[in-house]
Amino acid sequence: MKQLQVALGKRSYDIIIGQGILSDAATYIAQIAKPRRIMIVTDDTVKALHLSKLQASLETTGLPIKVVSFTPGEGSKSLKSVETLYAEAFDFGMTRTDLVVALGGGVVGDLTGFFAATLLRGVPFVQIPTTLLSQVDSSVGGKTGVNVPAGKNLVGSFYQPKLVLIDTDTLKTLSDSIFADGMAEVIKYGCIVNSELFIALAKAGGRAGVEAILEDVIYTCCDAKRQVVEEDELDTGRRMILNFGHTLGHVIEKAYNFKDYTHGQAVAYGMILAARLGEALGITPKGVTEKISDIIQQYHLPTEIQITGDWQKTILLDKKMQGKKLSCVLLSELGTAVVHTMEAEQFVSEAEKIL
Ligand code: GLY
């Protein structure tokens, strides 16, 4: 078992990482909250796989427990789901001193966090992420939100959980493609802040190798995210480095209507493109793109994707635009990210050369 603390003053919280810790959830929760009722939010896949362990542990408290489960997938990350949750919460008699628990991947975590942030102007919540991607990224740092017709994650809030419980056993049931999806974010930490992690991942060579060092890998990623979040909780500066590969990744997701490529696959190729762009601009040393491409291939993520359609428009509408300028994350070396701001038009013309 490993533990870290995200130090954010009154909003500080622990991240606990271990094998089988879902069965001890009640013990960990008792250390951070004294609720009178607990509402668990999950999805139907996770419910079938992992809910019974969590519920058995929480039932030892003798508290009333309500479970609300959604259809798996992005479609459930909506204001309609939040309304469903409000209705269920009021029906259950939730008060501000009760507790909301998110059991699932990024969709469940983001949706539940936003619900908890806005229910009665804020009810404590615990993140229990069950995918690799949510364990190393979305469950830590307090970004919560839902999708709206205008775009993904456009409505949300910063609302930190009271605790993040990471049971590495939950990853055993992930398909290879969902595991690979999370690996894109793991590789990202190696690229942006930790070249030793990058080397360890290259040596591990694939899922089996990573599973042998899973607790360490997740701890290293959470620790990297912790440092960035502590420095820039509200995403006005350094936190932007976590977007490495995401600007061009988003272009890929959008070009394929968020259907043909998963977020991790798009980010993986986005990282190759960002490295190529950095090399073209003379910011990233030659050879880094090849190393990133090699590791992405090792983890069965795409090293080539055709980008079609009006991708220039997607870039110009990017959330990270500031006036006519765009901040993109590049590597000054493998393991060190820099935020590079340039005219959006220049970004587009440089991107045209490398796509
Ligand atoms: N997933 C990026 C961030 O939390 O800032």
Side-chain angles (χ1 to χ4, degrees):
M1 201 267 279
K2 289 185 184 300
Q3 186 160 348
L4 356 122
Q5 192 194 46
V6 184
L8 293 170
K10 285 187 180 160
R11 295 179 308 291
S12 298
Y13 55 95
D14 287 340
I15 304 170
I16 297 166
I17 304 158
Q19 207 179 343
I21 62 170
L22 199 52
S23 304
D24 301 322
T27 311
Y28 294 113
I29 286 174
Q31 290 162 15
I32 54 105
K34 299 264 171 290
R36 273 176 296 174
R37 46 178 60 68
I38 301 174
M39 190 165 161
I40 302 171
V41 183
T42 188
D43 72 33
D44 297 343
T45 305
V46 176
K47 183 179 175 185
L49 293 169
H50 307 301
L51 179 68
S52 58
K53 266 193 193 162
L54 174 64
Q55 209 162 353
S57 173
L58 295 182
E59 273 167 3
T60 61
T61 63
L63 297 172
I65 296 166
K66 181 175 191 94
V67 179
V68 183
S69 182
F70 290 92
T71 306
E74 274 306 308
S76 292
K77 208 170 124 175
S78 66
L79 287 169
K80 189 165 163 273
S81 301
V82 181
E83 276 190 52
T84 302
L85 287 169
Y86 292 146
E88 296 281 359
F90 293 127
D91 183 54
F92 187 42
M94 289 287 282
T95 70
R96 268 196 196 156
T97 51
D98 293 324
L99 185 75
V100 173
V101 176
L103 175 72
V107 166
V108 166
D110 289 5
L111 164 70
T112 309
F114 184 64
F115 155 67
T118 48
L119 179 71
L120 302 167
R121 298 199 179 89
V123 171
F125 93 111
V126 170
Q127 288 271 24
I128 307 186
T130 57
T131 61
L132 182 56
L133 194 145
S134 59
Q135 293 187 352
V136 299
D137 183 26
S138 57
S139 66
V140 176
K143 277 192 183 175
T144 75
V146 294
N147 305 326
V148 289
K152 285 178 77 176
N153 296 322
L154 291 183
V155 171
S157 67
F158 286 96
Y159 189 65
Q160 301 294 343
K162 294 281 178 234
L163 174 71
V164 181
L165 276 186
I166 298 178
D167 183 343
T168 53
D169 271 351
T170 60
L171 303 184
K172 288 184 181 157
T173 52
L174 294 185
S175 66
D176 283 342
S177 72
I178 299 197
F179 192 87
D181 216 29
M183 279 310 299
E185 299 288 346
V186 173
I187 292 166
K188 181 191 78 178
Y189 289 109
C191 293
I192 62 172
V193 289
N194 192 332
S195 58
E196 278 174 24
L197 173 65
F198 191 96
I199 293 163
L201 295 174
K203 195 164 157 224
R207 178 170 183 167
V210 167
E211 279 174 338
I213 49 168
L214 200 52
E215 221 171 272
D216 283 337
V217 167
I218 294 173
Y219 177 91
T220 304
C221 295
C222 287
D223 195 36
K225 180 137 190 195
R226 170 196 72 73
Q227 286 177 40
V228 175
V229 168
E230 282 177 359
E231 228 176 282
D232 178 24
E233 182 185 3
L234 301 183
D235 200 10
T236 56
R238 176 140 175 95
R239 188 161 177 171
M240 220 176 277
I241 66 166
L242 298 175
N243 288 329
F244 178 62
H246 282 62
T247 300
L248 291 161
H250 182 71
V251 167
I252 297 160
E253 286 185 285
K254 185 104 177 140
Y256 287 90
N257 278 324
F258 297 93
K259 286 200 179 84
D260 300 54
Y261 293 99
T262 62
H263 179 70
Q265 288 172 329
V267 165
Y269 189 54
M271 291 193 289
I272 293 176
L273 291 178
R276 207 179 279 161
L277 182 67
E279 287 193 24
L281 292 170
I283 293 168
T284 306
K286 296 272 178 243
V288 168
T289 307
E290 201 183 329
K291 284 191 184 145
I292 295 178
S293 185
D294 286 350
I295 201 168
I296 281 171
Q297 189 163 26
Q298 276 184 298
Y299 285 91
H300 305 293
L301 288 158
T303 53
E304 188 59 63
I305 297 177
Q306 291 302 317
I307 302 184
T308 51
D310 195 357
W311 58 267
Q312 294 90 341
K313 190 170 158 210
T314 309
I315 288 177
L316 296 172
L317 290 175
D318 195 282
K319 266 188 293 189
K320 294 172 281 302
M321 282 279 286
Q322 297 137 342
K324 288 192 158 119
K325 293 195 176 211
L326 181 88
S327 293
C328 62
V329 184
L330 302 175
L331 302 181
S332 60
E333 60 183 317
L334 196 55
T336 309
V338 287
V339 177
H340 184 75
T341 303
M342 60 178 148
E343 296 292 330
E345 299 290 349
Q346 191 206 347
F347 184 90
V348 168
S349 80
E350 293 294 340
E352 260 160 7
K353 293 181 210 157
I354 56 140
L355 287 180

